[in-house]
Amino acid sequence: MGFAVLDRLGLRFAALDRLGLRFDFADAWHDLVVGGRCVGCRRPGRLLCHDCRADLPDTARPSPPSPAPTGIAPVFAAGPYDGTLKQLVIGLKEHQLLGLRVPLAGLLALSVLEAMATTGAGPTVLVPVPSRPASVRERGLDSTAAITRGAAAMLRRHGLGVRHHQLLRTRPGVADQAGLDSRQRQANLDGSITCPASGIRTLARKIPRATLIVCDDVITTGATAREAQRALESVGLGVKAIATVAATQRRSRVQM
């Protein structure tokens, strides 16, 4: 799993070996019960084979949506939402392949590190974009919260002051975003995310003067991340950056 950027920062992830043991058990169970295949290359066996794991990005970079919503914080992603990265996200979110939480958390950690290096963040709180309660019930998993928690734990074990806090909630009536264009997504999401006072009080007590980074698995138009940022800023919490696993790529139309 390519984490060269973490090595350069002196953050060698020896703990991943222990997490990898759990990953192996999950893969073995999946292979035994339903016939496991690598989500990247479809090779029978592990959920993520050694070759596909080795090919994962080892750094993150600025990845703003185009066009970007007005006022959106700097956006970072480990890579494009394509190929193995896309299959990792889908595998966890849609198929509950829990063994994929570790590599996804590692990729998100790369984006968080790049965001921290760029913005000069101090004690940092990762705030996952909230999922609709109906989606969580249907899937039995809040995948964004899970990988955000995992990324914070990885970074914290290696001396960085990074925590995770689910500060945000969605209001009732938000439609599924699939199939909506950027304007429709923005209209659907306006005012849809809130930051309850109880979370703010807990944050102020535990980590005063914290830097906030909004986290998501994929950034598409940026409407969801911008709405999460707005909800935090509306209660006086500044957002330094947005960190994601992957970013969709804008495809230009072919001129006929």
Side-chain angles (χ1 to χ4, degrees):
M1 190 174 183
F3 285 111
V5 66
L6 303 178
D7 289 347
R8 289 199 296 272
L9 291 172
L11 304 175
R12 303 192 65 87
F13 273 34
L16 281 177
D17 293 337
R18 295 192 296 274
L19 291 169
L21 183 60
R22 278 183 255 165
F23 187 86
D24 290 339
F25 282 136
D27 288 349
W29 179 90
H30 192 264
D31 190 21
L32 177 65
V33 176
V34 295
R37 288 181 178 273
C38 172
V39 297
C41 66
R42 307 304 299 164
R43 181 186 303 168
R46 298 172 61 91
L47 290 177
L48 185 64
C49 72
H50 290 292
D51 291 343
C52 287
R53 178 182 278 197
D55 286 340
L56 291 178
D58 63 2
T59 189
R61 63 180 183 178
S63 303
S66 178
T70 302
I72 193 170
V75 178
F76 300 88
Y81 185 55
D82 200 2
T84 301
L85 262 62
K86 182 175 182 177
Q87 296 310 314
L88 285 170
V89 171
I90 292 173
L92 179 60
K93 178 181 284 187
E94 302 297 339
H95 305 298
Q96 293 77 53
L97 300 179
L98 301 183
L100 300 179
R101 287 176 298 184
V102 173
L104 283 166
L107 292 165
L108 181 59
L110 292 175
S111 292
V112 171
L113 280 171
E114 191 65 27
M116 292 174 68
T118 301
T119 62
T124 299
V125 174
L126 307 186
V127 181
V129 167
S131 299
R132 294 184 305 131
S135 297
V136 175
R137 288 193 298 271
E138 180 182 345
R139 294 167 176 159
L141 174 71
D142 187 336
S143 58
T144 302
I147 64 173
T148 301
R149 185 184 307 111
M154 284 182 178
L155 296 170
R156 191 166 59 252
R157 277 194 297 271
H158 294 274
L160 292 180
V162 178
R163 302 279 171 177
H164 118 284
H165 207 306
Q166 289 181 253
L167 291 173
L168 300 173
R169 301 288 184 271
T170 58
R171 293 186 189 275
V174 181
D176 194 310
Q177 296 280 82
L180 302 182
D181 61 26
S182 59
R183 202 177 321 177
Q184 290 168 330
R185 283 173 180 252
Q186 187 62 60
N188 179 48
L189 290 168
D190 281 345
S192 66
I193 297 178
T194 63
C195 185
S198 58
I200 302 171
R201 288 193 295 268
T202 301
L203 179 65
R205 184 174 68 253
K206 290 185 175 180
I207 315 175
R209 299 183 298 279
T211 293
L212 271 58
I213 296 178
V214 170
C215 295
D216 205 353
D217 52 4
V218 180
I219 190 158
T220 305
T221 65
T224 303
R226 182 66 183 92
E227 172 61 15
Q229 177 185 339
R230 180 209 61 76
L232 292 167
E233 292 175 341
S234 71
V235 294
L237 300 175
V239 173
K240 283 285 189 179
I242 294 160
T244 68
V245 171
T248 58
Q249 304 297 293
R250 183 178 175 84
R251 290 180 172 82
S252 58
R253 293 182 179 178
V254 177
Q255 299 296 320
M256 302 299 291

